[in-house]
Amino acid sequence: MEVNENAVRFGLQGDPDLQFLLSGGSLVKVKSSSWKKTRFFRLSEDCKTVWQQTSKKFKKDSSFSLEDIDSVRHGRQTEGMQKYSDSSVEDRCFSIVFKGRRSNLDLMASSKEEAKSWVSGLKKVINSMTNLNRLQNSEHWIYNCMRKADKNADNKMTLKELKHFLRQINIVVDDDYAETLFKQCDASNSDTLEGSEIKNFYNLLTYRQEVDVIYEQYAHTNGQMSSSDLLNFLQKEQREPVSLDHAHKLIDKFEVDEIAKLNKHMSKDGFLMYLNHEESSIFNPAHKAVHQDMRQPLNHYFISSSHNTYLMGDQLKGSSSTEAYIKALTKGCRCVELDCWDGESGEPVIYHGHTLTSKVLFKDVIKAIKEYAFKTSQYPVILSLENHCTIGQQKIMAHHLTSILGSALLTQPLGHNMPTAFPGPEELMGRILIKGKRLNKLDAAFNNNTTEDVDSVSEEDEAAEMKEGEPKPKGKTSNKIKLAKELSDLVIYCKSVHFSNFELSRDNQAFYEMASFKEGKAMNLAESSAMGFIHHNMEKLSRIYPAGSRTNSSNYNPVPLWNAGCQIVALNFQTSCKEMDLNQARFLPNGKCGYILKPEFLRDPESQFDPVKLRVGPWLKKKTLHIMIISAQQLPKINKDNQRSIVDPHVRVEIYGVPDDNASKQTHHIENNGFNPMWNTRFQFTVHVPDLALVRFVVEDHDVGVQNDLVGLYTIPFTSMQNGYRHVPLLTKRGILIPSAGLFVHIMVIDA
């Protein structure tokens, strides 16, 4: 039987599920109740692409990359499958969910066994691809490009094919250099490269001069790094407080030469393997898992939060979908919003009221939340209800919440006595909290105080009563709305109230009574009354939401609100932008669990911290950040349709934090080299409050006279950066990792 090299490379040689995928099979593609058509699917020999047969005779066979897949779900786990398939075929259904805004691919197999094989096989291959280290991805990518450049598939490379290959990997060289490189490798003088000549060419091409310089500086033992040399490098350059035993472990893990490993040495290849591994990433691996104290009161944390979570697009015509909730929750979002309105047939719906956005059933959203609330994080989820429903449908909402969420729904305060402060995320693990209006005080839950089954509350008590820019229904004159007791009683720790000023809030409101602030008002408070806002947030929760004028679902800068201690800074998760990039970076550490413990100076009642008017205090941990942008590797082509288009990259480093720390610096651009551009440019920044600072790396294709195109980016909290020589992964605008691409930098943080 012919051996598939990629199956071997992925560690899946002989795996029955992989063999099943390579053989392929017929699946029913489900688009609507009337559009269900059979298509043939199979995994291509590269084990990276799924091929599908189309119905159009003259159209080329279409395919999609496994790298574009976000998840594979077994069963009727998408909105489309819920609508257009019957529960009787549950075990035959599965869906491929893509990254970004590409529509889901809903499929139905002929049997439950086949469905399991598709799901299991796809997950295995995707996991294997993900787990391959960066260097292996790099080699595989270059190898594929070389194979594509070999037009006649004779395993030889002519000078013309060599030039085509160089363009494919995003590097332009003049004809003289290409010919020189070719002749240097053509030892047989055959005017083609083959066998060891191609290997020699590959070695010349992938030579990392900057890594050689570093290695030779520390390789003092017969041209190699001894374990002592490696320890010297780790302590001096990487500034890691490690022992000789740790150096031995690195050699065992990364050294590729068995003789060097036996001698406790690290060769140049082993050193490159180490530098390309996650352990040498700029992101501190100690911050990858949950590492913060999760027993502090809930209001002591920044909480990843979404605005108008149901929307997949803009605020006026965008579609509402359960998929939007699934995407937000799987990104670590812990506070989602539900705009609830009366629906037909007595079933409440969720949509952006008085607009052309589509509607989704309230109960379907709750089912999706039940299914996905705790797949990424076990810490509590807050459902922020904006309630526009009549009493009858409010009661139905309460019924769906209790019957679907079951024991996960928090319906009573924790403990046996009336609480005086919030519980912590750890106490609330696996629980779902409701934010909304409540008819009475929380102590009624302990004192058995009763209220009417229906009562009125001030419309102003819901701080998000009518969103800015949202038209009010005709004839609306009353400032009172009816609230059903069944729904009211589900609000425990997050009772929505109106905000007047900090003094009234401090003196007259309980800890669990929280206000929502429009973006403009919150920004004004954060700038003009920062210390008051900070102390308000030491006692209570605050939610911030975008201005209603942002009809295109754009976002505001969340950083000034975090600086003021605001916990629930809600953004439009469906919009890929700098602001969402900053949000994802804020919640990158601590296991991406959606909760980040605020710095102590944002929690201590004695704190005099003011981000706008900095003064001496424990928050002032002034640091000097030295960054050298050394090089980049395998930057993606921007214009993939133009084979001759090569990027001219430059790198910008941005700092976001308190106003005194905001800064931006940029390298020069490198012409026609996206494969291995080298800058060796040094930057220096002063950071006064590192606990609130974010560092952002942006790679762009330099253009004169027009806006630069984004190549890739990466943002990281200042306190999660590692010192020393580090690789910086690069993401797309949508936050998707770009395989093999990255920056190579040197980081040094010292006390200023």
Side-chain angles (χ1 to χ4, degrees), residues 44-45 62 141 247 253 355 404 420 444 447-448 491 525 643 694:
S44 63
E45 291 299 314
S62 58
W141 178 72
K253 185 174 182 179
T355 67
I404 295 171
T420 57
N447 300 331
N448 295 319
V491 176
L525 289 172
Q643 287 293 321
L694 299 168

Side-chain angles (χ1 to χ4, degrees), residues 569-582:
V569 181
L571 299 179
N572 289 301
F573 266 55
Q574 73 272 31
T575 303
S576 301
C577 56
K578 178 177 70 177
E579 293 77 16
M580 263 307 296
D581 179 45
L582 294 173

Side-chain angles (χ1 to χ4, degrees), residues 318-334:
S319 62
S320 303
S321 172
T322 58
E323 196 62 43
Y325 287 91
I326 294 170
K327 287 181 180 291
L329 291 168
T330 52
K331 283 182 179 179
C333 180
R334 298 290 87 188

